[in-house]
Amino acid sequence: MADDLKKGLEGVLVAESGLSSIDGDAGRLIYRGYSIEELARGASYEEVLYLLWHGELPGADELESFTAAINEERDVSEDVLETMERLAAADEQPMAALRTAVSMFSASEPETDADPEDLEATLRKGRRITAKIPTALAAFERYRLDEEPVDPHPELGLAANFLYMLTGEEPSDIHAETFDQALILHADHGLNASTFTSMVIGSTMADIYSAVTGGVSALSGPLHGGANQDVMEVLFEIDESDLDHREWVEQANEAGRRIPGFGHRVYNVKDPRAEILQERSKELADEGDSKWYDYTTTIEQYLSEEQGLAEKGIAPNVDFYSGSVYYQLGIPIDMYTPIFAMSRVGGWVGHVLEYQEDNRLIRPLSRYTGPQDQEFVSLDDR
């Protein structure tokens, strides 16, 4: 029995995967061997889903068939819509509403009796979950605004369709392309907490609805999801301040304040996903309000270069730029983490399927530190 305690499983190798790989020193992320830069700039989110789930990029006919299959599964049941309406009226948190919705999706699953070892059936279920999450999330937000949900648009891709269902208007090309890129960038990222949670659940051969519900639950914790919302709160604070944004960040630094969106458990250099979103933030700024881009670039330049954080291995992560990008797309800030889940479901499903191909129940050890040889005393004598 190993005696070395690895708190948080840090550095412990628990599985092999062909889905994604991270080089934290080089700032490199790949999906199935393809660089994240190439995929984000040249593929659609649907292509990336196909890649993660099938191991290769689709041809034109395969993509058309795959996309059509997703589009056919977008509708959610009236029970789900009614529940989203009730949760919105109760001022429920969006991630909690999403957790409930995913769990409810299984009630309308046509293959509920499929053998747990039928991985093709599991993949079809995962595709249905992926298709329905945007619809449920958009409906929840519409209900919060006292507006009726918008039906999915049959001719729009997953990213553009979500923005359409959120606002009732077809998004501009740059908005649709930007959001599609954001979904690609968040689709998978190694064995993070929510992915590992999904795998642990999947290793019991529980259904994929349970595994994805677990992933949503893990992602809802502030140490995993939500940093981009924290970044946006800081940018709001700067915007409302009487100080120039350069002066604001200088004073915050002098006060010892930690700026969210810097540093990562894996990356020692700037997150490659942040590089891509910074470019999109600049494009959005050029067509509208540039202040959010100005704030983030000023903060990065000051902390990374002048304060030397880059030399210490502390650099912007994906959350630092995704927050302002989502805000420029008109997305409410408390929907940022649910959107993370909407993207990451691709990775959760992919990892569960991959692990179940050669499944072994995940059952780690713990070191007992409690008392020994306690003498039991009956209830009457205690």
Side-chain angles (χ1 to χ4, degrees):
M1 181 185 299
D3 292 327
D4 293 339
L5 176 65
K6 298 290 187 179
K7 199 78 170 181
L9 297 182
E10 186 166 2
V12 177
L13 186 65
V14 298
E16 294 180 322
S17 176
L19 270 76
S20 65
S21 177
I22 307 161
D23 185 335
D25 294 324
R28 178 171 167 79
L29 170 63
I30 61 173
Y31 294 168
R32 299 281 193 187
Y34 296 95
S35 75
I36 194 63
E37 291 85 358
E38 288 182 314
L39 292 173
R41 294 175 179 131
S44 66
Y45 180 60
E46 283 85 350
E47 288 176 83
V48 169
L49 285 177
Y50 190 99
L51 173 67
L52 292 175
W53 294 349
H54 295 278
E56 59 186 11
L57 287 169
D61 291 342
E62 290 169 322
L63 179 61
E64 182 179 1
S65 176
F66 181 74
T67 301
I70 291 177
N71 292 354
E72 289 173 2
E73 304 285 0
R74 286 173 171 174
D75 290 336
V76 300
S77 69
E78 285 300 320
D79 287 341
V80 170
L81 291 177
E82 290 171 4
T83 299
M84 293 300 98
E85 185 174 17
R86 288 199 299 271
L87 292 176
D91 200 26
E92 179 63 284
Q93 294 295 314
M95 279 298 280
L98 177 59
R99 181 190 64 217
T100 299
V102 172
S103 188
M104 288 186 70
F105 291 162
S106 67
S108 58
E109 169 55 54
E111 297 183 88
T112 186
D113 294 328
D115 187 328
E117 296 185 5
D118 183 348
L119 299 188
E120 288 299 319
T122 297
L123 176 55
R124 290 190 294 270
K125 293 176 183 180
R127 187 185 67 213
R128 293 180 188 115
I129 295 170
T130 303
K132 294 179 189 304
I133 282 178
T135 308
L137 277 178
F140 176 76
E141 175 58 21
R142 298 283 294 182
Y143 283 130
R144 290 203 299 179
L145 298 173
D146 293 324
E147 297 177 351
E148 286 299 307
V150 176
D151 291 335
H153 194 302
E155 297 178 5
L156 294 179
L158 196 148
N161 182 59
F162 176 74
L163 296 178
Y164 167 74
M165 291 189 296
L166 203 64
T167 64
E169 299 179 359
E170 291 191 34
S172 66
D173 288 345
I174 187 172
H175 280 211
E177 292 167 5
T178 298
F179 191 57
D180 192 74
Q181 277 194 332
L183 295 182
I184 291 170
L185 297 176
H186 288 88
D188 195 44
H189 205 244
L191 211 53
N192 52 81
S194 57
T195 299
F196 186 58
T197 299
S198 297
M199 279 179 51
V200 170
I201 295 171
S203 79
T204 73
M205 299 310 293
D207 69 13
I208 194 67
Y209 290 94
S210 299
V212 173
T213 301
V216 172
S217 300
L219 187 61
S220 68
L223 294 185
H224 188 9
N228 49 11
Q229 182 175 339
D230 296 336
V231 171
M232 205 61 222
E233 296 285 2
V234 165
L235 299 184
F236 287 151
E237 190 175 338
I238 294 174
D239 194 49
E240 295 167 1
S241 170
D242 294 331
L243 298 174
D244 173 85
H245 52 281
R246 165 79 185 201
E247 294 174 329
W248 187 96
V249 70
E250 288 177 348
Q251 290 192 14
N253 183 67
E254 291 170 0
R257 183 170 176 178
R258 181 181 176 278
I259 304 299
F262 273 74
H264 194 279
R265 183 79 170 258
V266 179
Y267 293 110
N268 299 315
V269 296
K270 188 172 180 178
D271 189 329
R273 300 169 298 172
E275 296 275 11
I276 296 168
L277 286 178
Q278 184 178 13
E279 294 173 8
R280 300 307 296 199
S281 179
K282 177 65 165 61
E283 292 179 23
L284 292 169
D286 289 342
E287 73 161 18
D289 193 344
S290 67
K291 65 182 178 182
W292 309 111
Y293 176 77
D294 293 339
Y295 294 166
T296 51
T297 52
T298 296
I299 292 172
E300 179 181 357
Q301 188 272 332
Y302 177 76
L303 293 180
S304 296
E305 299 177 14
E306 297 186 34
Q307 296 302 308
L309 289 190
E311 297 177 1
K312 301 175 183 177
I314 304 173
N317 58 45
V318 67
D319 297 309
F320 186 68
Y321 280 100
S322 65
S324 58
V325 165
Y326 290 159
Y327 190 78
Q328 288 169 288
L329 294 177
I331 298 171
I333 64 171
D334 64 353
M335 292 289 282
Y336 292 178
T337 307
I339 286 170
F340 191 165
M342 186 171 80
S343 169
R344 186 57 58 84
V345 67
W348 294 336
V349 170
H351 280 276
V352 169
L353 287 166
E354 181 182 55
Y355 191 80
Q356 288 182 341
E357 288 179 359
D358 185 22
N359 191 69
R360 182 168 175 78
L361 178 67
I362 296 175
R363 182 27 173 115
L365 301 173
S366 66
R367 179 185 296 158
Y368 178 69
T369 60
Q372 301 280 352
D373 302 322
Q374 292 270 55
E375 182 179 350
F376 179 79
V377 179
S378 66
L379 182 60
D380 291 340
D381 296 330
R382 290 181 213 161

